[in-house]
Amino acid sequence: MIRVLLADDQALVRAGFRALLDSAADINVVAEADDGAEAVRLVRSERPDVVLMDIRMPGTDGLAATERIVTDPDLSGTRVVILTTFDVDEYIFEALRLGASGFLVKDTEPEDLLQGVRVVARGDALLSPNVTRRLIADYARRPRRPEPDTRLNELTEREREVVALVGAGLTNEEIAERLVLSPATAKTHVSRAMVKLRARDRAQLVVIAYETSLVTPGWFD
């Protein structure tokens, strides 16, 4: 059973999400919060597997709450998915950089919502290829860091290739097919890269991929 916490300041939105999620046999909504501070408190008491977190909430917003959750070692088993009104907005990159495992648009199809919760609960990132391309393009317009980025120095060439493909939104199976590997080998490379880069999950690998220019606009068109 996947345990979910809903954090949104609109009661109607929470009610709609709860009704849909509770209709699935493998998902259970264990708590609701109407602001970020309450969400953090409830995560600590309920220990959900997945938090669906609205960004724009009064008081402590979703970004601050996400950072508190993902930086707490006691909450390492909880994954945060950002809820947003728009497909990509100004806060998404920052949420991913802070440690969110992906995001969902609030008007997503019901089955996509359920599948998204399942994807994140098993440790994958909830980022589609076309969305990661837009995020990469957005990041490319930002000022570059003046100092050289040395985070990739620990990776082998194959691990760099794999991280770049993760950054383009590919699954382990798609990476295996592209690099002519077994899915198990691709998964091993992803896991080793996450350990070396101290990435919480695949979404963090995506962020690192375009922060270090492993992936650039047009690279995977």
Side-chain angles (χ1 to χ4, degrees):
M1 184 68 69
I2 301 170
R3 294 163 51 81
V4 175
L5 184 147
L6 297 174
D8 194 295
D9 63 322
Q10 298 183 51
L12 188 59
V13 171
R14 296 198 310 273
F17 273 68
R18 175 184 275 276
L20 176 59
L21 293 167
D22 280 345
S23 71
D26 59 335
I27 299 174
N28 180 36
V29 176
V30 297
E32 297 181 24
D34 60 9
D35 63 43
E38 185 180 18
V40 174
R41 180 181 63 78
L42 287 171
V43 167
R44 288 174 176 154
S45 63
E46 299 294 334
R47 302 299 172 98
D49 302 299
V50 177
V51 178
L52 297 181
M53 179 82 74
D54 187 25
I55 288 182
R56 298 170 182 84
M57 292 184 288
T60 302
D61 65 17
L63 287 177
T66 295
E67 184 172 21
R68 292 179 191 176
I69 292 167
V70 302
T71 57
D72 187 336
D74 292 335
L75 304 178
S76 60
T78 297
R79 298 286 181 264
V80 178
V81 175
I82 297 298
L83 297 174
T84 179
T85 305
F86 306 103
D87 201 2
V88 175
D89 68 21
E90 60 186 299
Y91 299 104
I92 293 301
F93 178 83
E94 182 64 12
L96 295 174
R97 189 187 67 78
L98 290 173
S101 294
F103 71 96
L104 283 167
V105 181
K106 287 187 178 181
D107 63 356
T108 191
E109 293 295 321
E111 186 53 42
D112 291 338
L113 170 64
L114 297 176
Q115 186 58 27
V117 169
R118 294 176 180 125
V119 165
V120 172
R122 67 172 181 253
D124 291 333
L126 192 57
L127 297 168
S128 65
N130 66 323
V131 167
T132 58
R133 290 188 192 112
R134 285 199 292 274
L135 289 170
I136 291 164
D138 175 70
Y139 184 77
R141 292 192 292 268
R142 299 169 183 234
R144 290 298 185 195
R145 299 182 351 168
E147 71 278 7
D149 198 315
T150 61
R151 282 177 290 179
L152 301 180
N153 291 354
E154 295 184 48
L155 301 185
T156 66
E157 284 302 313
R158 177 61 86 190
E159 287 165 352
R160 288 186 183 219
E161 287 182 284
V162 168
V163 172
L165 292 173
V166 170
L170 273 67
T171 64
N172 289 343
E173 289 73 19
E174 291 167 335
I175 292 171
E177 181 178 355
R178 191 168 182 84
L179 298 180
V180 195
L181 305 170
S182 72
T185 300
K187 182 177 180 180
T188 297
H189 285 309
V190 171
S191 297
R192 287 176 178 169
M194 286 175 60
V195 171
K196 290 181 179 180
L197 295 172
R198 293 176 289 282
R200 177 180 172 89
D201 55 23
R202 292 175 75 97
Q204 288 279 281
L205 284 187
V206 171
V207 172
I208 292 170
Y210 50 83
E211 280 188 334
T212 58
S213 300
L214 267 181
V215 178
T216 57
W219 180 83
F220 198 68
D221 290 340

